[in-house]
Amino acid sequence: MNSTRRLILIAVASLFILGLGGSLAKANLTVGGTVPEPITVLSPNGGETWLIGSTHSVTWHTTNPSIVSITVEYSVDAGTTYLPMVADLPDTSSYSWIVPNQKTGTALIRATAKNISDVVVGTDVSDTVFGIGTQPSPTPTPAATPTPTVAPT
């Protein structure tokens, strides 16, 4: 990420003491690097297929110590709408989810983090869609054709 340059105007009280009146000092500040997101969905994060009725851990990582609760939702329509999975869960970094009977190839997980004042401090969504499906039926094996036997003459 490119550094962001910010012009910060600083009113310096000591300037009054130095006899410079109400002058403002100008300083350039360069902010570099990236700030980690307060919450990141780890799994499912795209490309997986989870079977209907199976149990999987939905996992996330938080970086903000003020986070006290997590709400997790899922979408079966690529994020157009979200359905509740669990609300106001303590930040345990995972939730054991029984995959619902909603077959789709466009599922997403959204995790929302709140602080002690119940203020949202971050939200993250799976990076790409994942599938919810059924186990494929086994392919039938064709019956073996008996080999004719030749009687001795």
Side-chain angles (χ1 to χ4, degrees), residues 56-82:
H56 286 273
S57 290
V58 174
T59 60
W60 60 88
H61 175 72
T62 57
T63 59
N64 185 330
S66 72
I67 294 172
V68 296
S69 71
I70 307 295
T71 295
V72 184
E73 302 162 292
Y74 70 99
S75 172
V76 293
D77 57 12
T80 301
T81 59
Y82 282 89

Side-chain angles (χ1 to χ4, degrees), residues 89-138:
L89 180 73
D91 183 13
T92 57
S93 299
S94 71
Y95 177 73
S96 185
W97 185 44
I98 298 173
V99 180
N101 188 5
Q102 293 182 288
K103 191 173 181 179
T104 183
T106 59
L108 291 170
I109 296 293
R110 177 170 68 185
T112 302
K114 293 181 184 176
N115 65 16
I116 197 160
S117 301
D118 206 35
V119 173
V120 172
V121 295
T123 298
D124 190 41
V125 175
S126 305
D127 286 346
T128 60
V129 297
F130 67 98
I132 295 176
T134 56
Q135 190 164 11
S137 300

Side-chain angles (χ1 to χ4, degrees), residues 10-29:
I10 304 169
V12 182
S14 61
L15 292 176
F16 286 99
I17 296 170
L18 297 173
L20 299 174
S23 298
L24 295 177
K26 293 183 179 180
N28 286 323
L29 175 67

